[in-house]
Every structure is written in C-alpha cells, then in structure tokens.
Amino acid sequence: MSNPFKNKFIVNFHHADFDGAISGACAKAAFGENAVYKAYSIAKVGKAVTDIINDTDLVLLTDISIYNDVLDDMIPYMKNDKLIIYDHHLNEHSTEVFSHFEKNSSSILDSDVCGSTLTWYKLSEYYPNNQKLKDLEQIVYLSDVYDMWRLDNPDFEYAATINDLLDYKIGYNPDQFRERFFENPDPYNLSSDEEMIIARKKLKHKDNLKKMGKNASLFDFKDHVFVMVESQATDYTKMHFMNEVLESEQIDMFIFKYPNGTQS
C-alpha cells in the first residue's frame, strides 16, 4: 500500500471537539514532529486550508471538511493527495464531489463512524507497528461512542464524562485536549484536577436541567406540540432534558433558544 504521507511535512487541521481533538492525537501519533496540528471550527477551516495549501507538502483534515466553493477549488489538490480528508460530516454537495474521484484519492468520507475512528483505522494501515496509535484505541472508541451518540452503548455515560474535560473555562481547550490524550492516552487514568473538573461539570449539568425545567414553555401550533426553552447547556444536558420531558409528554419538536436570541 502506497503511503501518501511518506517523506512529507504535514499540516493537520482537526475539528474543535472531542472527536476532532482525538483525531488530531492520532495524526500526531503517526507523524510526530513532522507535522503541525491545530483545532478549527468548520466555519474557519476553509480559509485556513486555502491560505496554507501551496506552502506545505500536504494538508490533512480530520473530523472536519470544507464545503461548497472552497471544496470545488480544492478538487485538484485532493486528486493529487496534496489535500486529504478523513471525515464523517456529509452533505449533498460533498457526497457528489467525492463520488467522482474517491477511487483516485486517499480521502475518506464515511457517515457511519466518527472522524477519529476513520483517522485511527486509516493511519494504522499506513503505520501498522506504531505503538502510539495502538495506545489510542480506547479513547478513539469512546470518542466514537460519544460523537455518534450511541446512546444504547453502556460506555456512553463515561464517554460523556471524558467530554466534560473539554471546557475553555475550567478544563482543556481542543488543542490542549489533543495533547493531553496524546501524552496520556488512557481514558481511565484521570488526575485529581480532572476529576474535579468533571465533578464541577456534573453539578452544572444538574443545575442547567433545573433551570431548563423552570423556563420551558409548551405550546401547540398547527396540530404539533413544541417545547421552547432558553438555555446555554451542552448537547448532553439538552439530551437529558428532552428525555425527561418525553417521559410524560408527547412532543413533536424542541426549540432551544440561547440568551442572545439564536436558536437550535
């Protein structure tokens, strides 16, 4: 199997979440100091790629992709493996673009598993004897359980606990999270400081659930039942809130309104 990364300096941009940070740790396990690693939001990564693509040997996007006009502009680079993407975020346009040249490219789009899983498996094929990659298997597994919302998996709650460490105020930012698990990949070996962060996040989770219960409003519209609630809670807390409401009410849609007026 030809290794597209061999003898190249690599720029790895990864998504700024649990899954993305662990995909970055996988990249670092494979490439070490022969690459640079940076977390990005989906909104900003396209410009970052276009700014650097002609100034490095290869750009690797993990758990993140580029879309629309930027993706169209990058097709020649992808065909030549100067840009490689391992991602699971698909839309109609990216699926159409990839369908035309996926056999001639090292990039992979697969919505069935998370980005770090794609990255780990593919890089393990290129570097089968890399112990650092092997050591990351457990945290990659937990990343997949959480990011793909495998709620029936018995490890989902612990995976969500690890995600609690990703916090700009009291925990790790995405780049720090990547480095933490690159250096210490065992997800069951947490420091006392990390245990404290998790404990604080659990209290915040419970507090947010109470606040959401108090300010939620239920209304009917065109024979559908909606719940609107103002909240800055995490997706994990929103999921628990929805489950609690659905135990006693038949709801068609939940609307989460942020204090600044935006909705999700």
Side-chain angles (χ1 to χ4, degrees), residues 50 66-78 83:
T50 56
I66 49 178
Y67 298 103
N68 303 327
D69 292 343
V70 178
L71 179 58
D72 291 338
D73 292 341
M74 290 295 112
I75 289 174
Y77 297 96
M78 296 176 71
L83 172 63

Side-chain angles (χ1 to χ4, degrees), residues 121-160:
Y121 271 109
K122 198 60 186 177
L123 293 181
S124 293
E125 289 181 0
Y126 294 131
Y127 304 95
N129 299 316
N130 186 302
Q131 187 58 48
K132 270 286 189 180
L133 274 171
K134 293 177 182 179
D135 292 342
L136 287 164
E137 184 173 5
Q138 281 189 316
I139 190 65
V140 168
Y141 160 72
L142 290 175
S143 171
D144 185 85
V145 170
Y146 183 77
D147 198 73
M148 300 300 292
W149 289 92
R150 304 191 191 282
L151 303 181
D152 294 333
N153 188 300
D155 292 318
F156 178 80
E157 289 298 325
Y158 189 76

Side-chain angles (χ1 to χ4, degrees), residues 59-239:
V59 174
L60 172 65
L61 300 184
T62 55
D63 189 45
I64 197 166
S65 192
I66 49 178
Y67 298 103
N68 303 327
D69 292 343
V70 178
L71 179 58
D72 291 338
D73 292 341
M74 290 295 112
I75 289 174
Y77 297 96
M78 296 176 71
K79 287 183 176 179
N80 295 324
D81 279 346
K82 190 171 175 64
L83 172 63
I84 295 176
I85 301 174
Y86 298 151
D87 192 28
H88 66 119
H89 303 99
L90 306 183
N91 64 23
E92 186 174 343
H93 181 237
S94 61
T95 302
E96 171 67 17
V97 168
F98 268 71
S99 69
H100 293 298
F101 66 91
E102 59 182 354
K103 292 182 180 179
N104 300 316
S105 168
S106 296
S107 295
I108 302 174
L109 262 67
D110 186 341
S111 61
D112 291 333
V113 294
C114 74
S116 65
T117 299
L118 286 173
T119 305
W120 186 84
Y121 271 109
K122 198 60 186 177
L123 293 181
S124 293
E125 289 181 0
Y126 294 131
Y127 304 95
N129 299 316
N130 186 302
Q131 187 58 48
K132 270 286 189 180
L133 274 171
K134 293 177 182 179
D135 292 342
L136 287 164
E137 184 173 5
Q138 281 189 316
I139 190 65
V140 168
Y141 160 72
L142 290 175
S143 171
D144 185 85
V145 170
Y146 183 77
D147 198 73
M148 300 300 292
W149 289 92
R150 304 191 191 282
L151 303 181
D152 294 333
N153 188 300
D155 292 318
F156 178 80
E157 289 298 325
Y158 189 76
T161 295
I162 296 299
N163 186 69
D164 282 342
L165 295 173
L166 193 60
D167 188 292
Y168 283 88
K169 292 182 179 180
I170 63 172
Y172 299 114
N173 66 39
D175 289 305
Q176 292 168 333
F177 192 87
R178 178 194 66 237
E179 296 301 313
R180 185 266 185 242
F181 283 101
F182 172 75
E183 295 293 340
N184 176 18
D186 184 355
Y188 300 97
N189 182 17
L190 304 180
S191 69
S192 57
D193 286 344
E194 290 169 339
E195 295 281 6
M196 183 174 64
I197 292 168
I198 289 169
R200 288 180 64 182
K201 292 293 289 286
K202 296 302 181 190
L203 289 173
K204 187 175 181 180
H205 166 70
K206 292 179 180 178
D207 184 54
N208 280 334
L209 277 177
K210 290 180 181 178
K211 289 179 180 178
M212 292 164 76
K214 290 179 179 179
N215 66 39
S217 59
L218 188 148
F219 62 94
D220 296 324
F221 181 72
K222 293 185 177 180
D223 298 323
H224 293 285
V225 181
F226 297 81
V227 168
M228 178 177 285
V229 57
E230 184 174 291
S231 172
Q232 284 185 310
T234 64
D235 289 342
Y236 174 77
T237 302
K238 292 175 186 175
M239 178 198 71

